[in-house]
Amino acid sequence: MSLRLTDTDTTVAVGRRLASLLRAGDLVVLTGGLGAGKTTLTRGLGEGLGVRGAVTSPTFVIARVHPSLSGGPELVHVDAYRLGGTAELDDLDLDADLDAAVTVVEWGAGLVEGLADDRLEITLVADPATEERRLEARGVGSRWAGTDVEAHLQDEGGTP
């Protein structure tokens, strides 16, 4: 099953709903091509978590920390696209923040799985002819066992 995201507002709304599922220590790995909506989804997640600062692409700074404004977990937003491998990932010292934050890593597939036994893997695919995207979510590990993430991301009417 996958969710159909018809526009940017829908993607942000799904990110806000995703935030209600997340807690300190969660690792979210985002996969998708350029323009697939990874940062837009993370913007909604930041809104849902109630963090400080605008969530923008961390491509050139590699990682941004957004402290909570409400006493919840901070958001660590990482763009692994420019990282050359696990040695550069280790230099970020993400495992030091992992227990206290929600950590979202764009372009992290194949690179960050060793950070945590439990993680949420989200794939976004953009339709080049429209603004529409498709989202697929898969929980890995005991933290996500029995959780239908995609169903949770739909609103009361069953739409994203």
Side-chain angles (χ1 to χ4, degrees), residues 13-44:
V14 166
R16 282 194 299 267
R17 284 195 289 280
L18 176 61
S20 69
L21 272 180
L22 299 176
R23 61 183 183 218
D26 283 342
L27 174 64
V28 180
V29 182
L30 298 180
T31 301
L34 291 172
K38 298 178 298 294
T39 300
T40 302
L41 182 73
T42 306
R43 182 180 330 126

Side-chain angles (χ1 to χ4, degrees), residues 60-107:
F60 295 104
V61 295
I62 309 298
R64 280 199 175 90
V65 177
H66 296 274
S68 175
L69 295 171
S70 62
E74 64 187 10
L75 172 64
V76 176
H77 184 199
V78 179
D79 187 326
Y81 184 77
R82 299 170 67 87
L83 296 180
T86 55
E88 289 183 21
L89 178 69
D90 289 343
D91 289 344
L92 293 177
D93 209 18
L94 291 178
D95 50 352
D97 293 325
L98 203 59
D99 290 339
V102 170
T103 303
V104 176
V105 183
E106 297 185 27
W107 303 97

